[in-house]
mmCIF file of all heavy atoms in Angstrom:
data_model
loop_
_atom_site.group_PDB
_atom_site.id
_atom_site.type_symbol
_atom_site.label_atom_id
_atom_site.label_comp_id
_atom_site.label_asym_id
_atom_site.label_seq_id
_atom_site.Cartn_x
_atom_site.Cartn_y
_atom_site.Cartn_z
ATOM 1 N N MET A 1 75.768 110.109 71.645
ATOM 2 C CA MET A 1 77.046 109.443 71.549
ATOM 3 C C MET A 1 77.117 108.003 72.205
ATOM 4 O O MET A 1 77.505 107.024 71.719
ATOM 5 C CB MET A 1 78.185 110.242 72.048
ATOM 6 C CG MET A 1 79.610 109.659 71.882
ATOM 7 S SD MET A 1 80.072 109.371 70.216
ATOM 8 C CE MET A 1 80.382 110.985 69.683
ATOM 9 N N LEU A 2 76.552 108.036 73.446
ATOM 10 C CA LEU A 2 76.523 106.862 74.209
ATOM 11 C C LEU A 2 75.588 105.721 73.540
ATOM 12 O O LEU A 2 76.014 104.529 73.461
ATOM 13 C CB LEU A 2 76.034 107.069 75.638
ATOM 14 C CG LEU A 2 75.864 105.828 76.573
ATOM 15 C CD1 LEU A 2 77.137 105.127 76.677
ATOM 16 C CD2 LEU A 2 75.273 106.278 77.930
ATOM 17 N N LEU A 3 74.527 106.157 73.074
ATOM 18 C CA LEU A 3 73.554 105.219 72.315
ATOM 19 C C LEU A 3 74.276 104.644 71.122
ATOM 20 O O LEU A 3 74.239 103.478 70.899
ATOM 21 C CB LEU A 3 72.334 105.942 71.982
ATOM 22 C CG LEU A 3 71.279 105.194 71.189
ATOM 23 C CD1 LEU A 3 70.904 103.933 71.985
ATOM 24 C CD2 LEU A 3 70.090 105.984 70.796
ATOM 25 N N LEU A 4 74.941 105.499 70.274
ATOM 26 C CA LEU A 4 75.659 105.008 69.174
ATOM 27 C C LEU A 4 76.702 104.033 69.526
ATOM 28 O O LEU A 4 76.907 103.072 68.850
ATOM 29 C CB LEU A 4 76.230 106.238 68.383
ATOM 30 C CG LEU A 4 75.225 107.144 67.655
ATOM 31 C CD1 LEU A 4 75.919 108.361 67.149
ATOM 32 C CD2 LEU A 4 74.444 106.415 66.553
ATOM 33 N N ARG A 5 77.424 104.317 70.601
ATOM 34 C CA ARG A 5 78.501 103.350 71.042
ATOM 35 C C ARG A 5 77.957 102.012 71.414
ATOM 36 O O ARG A 5 78.475 100.976 71.072
ATOM 37 C CB ARG A 5 79.244 104.000 72.247
ATOM 38 C CG ARG A 5 80.293 103.100 72.799
ATOM 39 C CD ARG A 5 80.987 103.762 74.038
ATOM 40 N NE ARG A 5 81.746 104.874 73.612
ATOM 41 C CZ ARG A 5 82.483 105.673 74.455
ATOM 42 N NH1 ARG A 5 82.530 105.304 75.742
ATOM 43 N NH2 ARG A 5 83.222 106.665 74.057
ATOM 44 N N ARG A 6 76.802 102.086 72.075
ATOM 45 C CA ARG A 6 76.231 100.767 72.541
ATOM 46 C C ARG A 6 75.623 99.973 71.282
ATOM 47 O O ARG A 6 75.737 98.752 71.311
ATOM 48 C CB ARG A 6 75.080 101.015 73.582
ATOM 49 C CG ARG A 6 75.711 101.432 74.865
ATOM 50 C CD ARG A 6 74.649 101.496 75.993
ATOM 51 N NE ARG A 6 75.200 101.549 77.319
ATOM 52 C CZ ARG A 6 74.583 101.520 78.428
ATOM 53 N NH1 ARG A 6 73.327 101.441 78.461
ATOM 54 N NH2 ARG A 6 75.191 101.544 79.571
ATOM 55 N N ILE A 7 75.060 100.687 70.377
ATOM 56 C CA ILE A 7 74.578 100.041 69.189
ATOM 57 C C ILE A 7 75.764 99.388 68.429
ATOM 58 O O ILE A 7 75.616 98.206 67.919
ATOM 59 C CB ILE A 7 73.867 101.044 68.257
ATOM 60 C CG1 ILE A 7 72.509 101.468 68.909
ATOM 61 C CG2 ILE A 7 73.602 100.438 66.914
ATOM 62 C CD1 ILE A 7 71.843 102.593 68.178
ATOM 63 N N ALA A 8 76.928 100.102 68.322
ATOM 64 C CA ALA A 8 78.049 99.539 67.612
ATOM 65 C C ALA A 8 78.546 98.311 68.289
ATOM 66 O O ALA A 8 78.844 97.299 67.693
ATOM 67 C CB ALA A 8 79.155 100.571 67.563
ATOM 68 N N ILE A 9 78.587 98.349 69.660
ATOM 69 C CA ILE A 9 79.123 97.174 70.448
ATOM 70 C C ILE A 9 78.094 95.970 70.235
ATOM 71 O O ILE A 9 78.500 94.868 69.962
ATOM 72 C CB ILE A 9 79.145 97.435 71.907
ATOM 73 C CG1 ILE A 9 80.226 98.413 72.282
ATOM 74 C CG2 ILE A 9 79.312 96.209 72.687
ATOM 75 C CD1 ILE A 9 80.361 98.945 73.698
ATOM 76 N N ALA A 10 76.849 96.330 70.261
ATOM 77 C CA ALA A 10 75.837 95.252 70.007
ATOM 78 C C ALA A 10 75.930 94.534 68.691
ATOM 79 O O ALA A 10 75.864 93.340 68.518
ATOM 80 C CB ALA A 10 74.390 95.801 70.168
ATOM 81 N N ALA A 21 77.755 92.635 77.539
ATOM 82 C CA ALA A 21 77.601 93.114 78.983
ATOM 83 C C ALA A 21 77.273 94.571 78.863
ATOM 84 O O ALA A 21 78.261 95.434 78.730
ATOM 85 C CB ALA A 21 78.844 92.838 79.758
ATOM 86 N N TRP A 22 76.113 94.950 78.941
ATOM 87 C CA TRP A 22 75.712 96.335 78.820
ATOM 88 C C TRP A 22 76.290 97.268 79.781
ATOM 89 O O TRP A 22 76.739 98.373 79.499
ATOM 90 C CB TRP A 22 74.098 96.549 78.758
ATOM 91 C CG TRP A 22 73.504 95.963 77.639
ATOM 92 C CD1 TRP A 22 72.607 94.935 77.568
ATOM 93 C CD2 TRP A 22 73.696 96.392 76.225
ATOM 94 N NE1 TRP A 22 72.239 94.727 76.190
ATOM 95 C CE2 TRP A 22 72.893 95.574 75.405
ATOM 96 C CE3 TRP A 22 74.481 97.332 75.566
ATOM 97 C CZ2 TRP A 22 72.811 95.694 73.960
ATOM 98 C CZ3 TRP A 22 74.379 97.478 74.237
ATOM 99 C CH2 TRP A 22 73.596 96.634 73.444
ATOM 100 N N ALA A 23 76.312 96.873 81.008
ATOM 101 C CA ALA A 23 76.762 97.760 82.089
ATOM 102 C C ALA A 23 78.300 97.734 82.168
ATOM 103 O O ALA A 23 78.936 96.694 82.357
ATOM 104 C CB ALA A 23 76.231 97.243 83.364
ATOM 105 N N THR A 24 78.848 98.864 81.796
ATOM 106 C CA THR A 24 80.295 99.106 82.087
ATOM 107 C C THR A 24 80.305 100.396 82.899
ATOM 108 O O THR A 24 80.466 101.458 82.361
ATOM 109 C CB THR A 24 81.046 99.311 80.717
ATOM 110 O OG1 THR A 24 80.827 98.211 79.916
ATOM 111 C CG2 THR A 24 82.516 99.416 80.939
ATOM 112 N N PRO A 25 80.175 100.213 84.171
ATOM 113 C CA PRO A 25 79.987 101.396 85.080
ATOM 114 C C PRO A 25 81.117 102.406 84.954
ATOM 115 O O PRO A 25 82.251 102.048 84.955
ATOM 116 C CB PRO A 25 79.957 100.817 86.508
ATOM 117 C CG PRO A 25 79.451 99.411 86.218
ATOM 118 C CD PRO A 25 80.104 99.000 84.874
ATOM 119 N N LEU A 26 80.738 103.676 84.818
ATOM 120 C CA LEU A 26 81.605 104.799 84.750
ATOM 121 C C LEU A 26 81.184 105.856 85.706
ATOM 122 O O LEU A 26 79.970 106.074 85.764
ATOM 123 C CB LEU A 26 81.793 105.365 83.359
ATOM 124 C CG LEU A 26 82.113 104.413 82.221
ATOM 125 C CD1 LEU A 26 82.005 105.138 80.880
ATOM 126 C CD2 LEU A 26 83.618 103.966 82.366
ATOM 127 N N TYR A 38 79.782 112.895 85.925
ATOM 128 C CA TYR A 38 79.315 111.986 84.876
ATOM 129 C C TYR A 38 79.075 110.646 85.564
ATOM 130 O O TYR A 38 79.801 110.216 86.477
ATOM 131 C CB TYR A 38 80.394 111.771 83.794
ATOM 132 C CG TYR A 38 79.969 110.821 82.684
ATOM 133 C CD1 TYR A 38 79.199 111.214 81.659
ATOM 134 C CD2 TYR A 38 80.180 109.432 82.733
ATOM 135 C CE1 TYR A 38 78.650 110.406 80.662
ATOM 136 C CE2 TYR A 38 79.768 108.585 81.744
ATOM 137 C CZ TYR A 38 79.027 108.991 80.724
ATOM 138 O OH TYR A 38 78.591 108.187 79.786
ATOM 139 N N ALA A 39 78.006 109.971 85.180
ATOM 140 C CA ALA A 39 77.651 108.653 85.731
ATOM 141 C C ALA A 39 77.015 107.747 84.752
ATOM 142 O O ALA A 39 76.133 108.303 83.976
ATOM 143 C CB ALA A 39 76.740 108.828 86.931
ATOM 144 N N GLU A 40 77.406 106.540 84.676
ATOM 145 C CA GLU A 40 76.843 105.635 83.745
ATOM 146 C C GLU A 40 76.849 104.274 84.482
ATOM 147 O O GLU A 40 77.836 103.722 84.845
ATOM 148 C CB GLU A 40 77.623 105.405 82.408
ATOM 149 C CG GLU A 40 77.000 104.405 81.472
ATOM 150 C CD GLU A 40 77.915 104.261 80.241
ATOM 151 O OE1 GLU A 40 78.735 105.102 80.011
ATOM 152 O OE2 GLU A 40 77.741 103.175 79.576
ATOM 153 N N ASP A 41 75.579 103.797 84.849
ATOM 154 C CA ASP A 41 75.456 102.479 85.571
ATOM 155 C C ASP A 41 76.289 102.461 86.825
ATOM 156 O O ASP A 41 76.765 101.511 87.305
ATOM 157 C CB ASP A 41 75.898 101.319 84.733
ATOM 158 C CG ASP A 41 74.992 101.212 83.515
ATOM 159 O OD1 ASP A 41 73.803 101.259 83.582
ATOM 160 O OD2 ASP A 41 75.516 101.074 82.396
ATOM 161 N N ALA A 42 76.415 103.691 87.583
ATOM 162 C CA ALA A 42 77.199 103.825 88.809
ATOM 163 C C ALA A 42 76.589 102.981 89.915
ATOM 164 O O ALA A 42 77.315 102.814 90.878
ATOM 165 C CB ALA A 42 77.473 105.259 89.081
ATOM 166 N N ARG A 250 89.871 104.824 79.418
ATOM 167 C CA ARG A 250 88.584 105.236 79.789
ATOM 168 C C ARG A 250 88.658 106.165 80.981
ATOM 169 O O ARG A 250 87.926 107.207 81.004
ATOM 170 C CB ARG A 250 87.618 104.059 79.903
ATOM 171 C CG ARG A 250 87.200 103.363 78.686
ATOM 172 C CD ARG A 250 86.260 102.224 78.975
ATOM 173 N NE ARG A 250 85.912 101.466 77.788
ATOM 174 C CZ ARG A 250 84.971 101.728 76.838
ATOM 175 N NH1 ARG A 250 84.356 102.922 77.054
ATOM 176 N NH2 ARG A 250 84.912 101.015 75.838
ATOM 177 N N GLU A 253 90.113 109.452 79.888
ATOM 178 C CA GLU A 253 89.155 110.215 79.165
ATOM 179 C C GLU A 253 88.143 110.947 80.099
ATOM 180 O O GLU A 253 87.802 112.194 79.917
ATOM 181 C CB GLU A 253 88.370 109.319 78.164
ATOM 182 C CG GLU A 253 87.375 110.043 77.344
ATOM 183 C CD GLU A 253 86.572 109.115 76.467
ATOM 184 O OE1 GLU A 253 85.971 108.227 76.961
ATOM 185 O OE2 GLU A 253 86.668 109.322 75.178
ATOM 186 N N LEU A 254 87.651 110.191 81.082
ATOM 187 C CA LEU A 254 86.722 110.838 82.046
ATOM 188 C C LEU A 254 87.360 111.989 82.755
ATOM 189 O O LEU A 254 86.755 113.108 82.975
ATOM 190 C CB LEU A 254 86.220 109.806 83.090
ATOM 191 C CG LEU A 254 85.142 108.810 82.667
ATOM 192 C CD1 LEU A 254 85.034 107.740 83.791
ATOM 193 C CD2 LEU A 254 83.865 109.478 82.428
ATOM 194 N N LYS A 257 87.795 115.044 80.546
ATOM 195 C CA LYS A 257 86.554 115.673 80.373
ATOM 196 C C LYS A 257 86.138 116.610 81.550
ATOM 197 O O LYS A 257 85.674 117.645 81.433
ATOM 198 C CB LYS A 257 85.434 114.655 80.060
ATOM 199 C CG LYS A 257 85.512 114.149 78.694
ATOM 200 C CD LYS A 257 84.300 113.135 78.485
ATOM 201 C CE LYS A 257 84.369 112.618 77.032
ATOM 202 N NZ LYS A 257 83.313 111.616 76.805
ATOM 203 N N GLN A 300 85.314 95.592 71.667
ATOM 204 C CA GLN A 300 85.561 96.712 72.518
ATOM 205 C C GLN A 300 86.646 97.617 71.902
ATOM 206 O O GLN A 300 86.477 98.870 71.915
ATOM 207 C CB GLN A 300 85.943 96.336 73.908
ATOM 208 C CG GLN A 300 84.882 95.582 74.651
ATOM 209 C CD GLN A 300 83.662 96.429 74.977
ATOM 210 O OE1 GLN A 300 82.875 96.973 74.206
ATOM 211 N NE2 GLN A 300 83.448 96.646 76.320
ATOM 212 N N VAL A 303 85.245 99.847 69.131
ATOM 213 C CA VAL A 303 84.380 100.964 69.651
ATOM 214 C C VAL A 303 85.300 102.056 70.377
ATOM 215 O O VAL A 303 85.019 103.279 70.277
ATOM 216 C CB VAL A 303 83.336 100.506 70.562
ATOM 217 C CG1 VAL A 303 82.542 101.688 71.238
ATOM 218 C CG2 VAL A 303 82.306 99.558 69.776
ATOM 219 N N PHE A 304 86.286 101.512 71.080
ATOM 220 C CA PHE A 304 87.171 102.454 71.876
ATOM 221 C C PHE A 304 88.610 102.098 71.589
ATOM 222 O O PHE A 304 89.249 101.288 72.392
ATOM 223 C CB PHE A 304 86.768 102.333 73.383
ATOM 224 C CG PHE A 304 87.456 103.413 74.244
ATOM 225 C CD1 PHE A 304 87.023 104.683 74.288
ATOM 226 C CD2 PHE A 304 88.598 103.080 75.016
ATOM 227 C CE1 PHE A 304 87.650 105.632 75.096
ATOM 228 C CE2 PHE A 304 89.226 103.974 75.829
ATOM 229 C CZ PHE A 304 88.653 105.305 75.785
#
Side-chain angles (χ1 to χ4, degrees):
M1 179 63 71
L2 177 58
L3 178 59
L4 291 175
R5 177 180 292 181
R6 287 187 165 183
I7 290 172
I9 293 174
W22 288 118
T24 304
L26 303 172
Y38 181 84
E40 179 182 344
D41 299 311
R250 287 183 186 275
E253 180 182 59
L254 281 175
K257 286 181 176 179
Q300 296 290 65
V303 175
F304 189 77

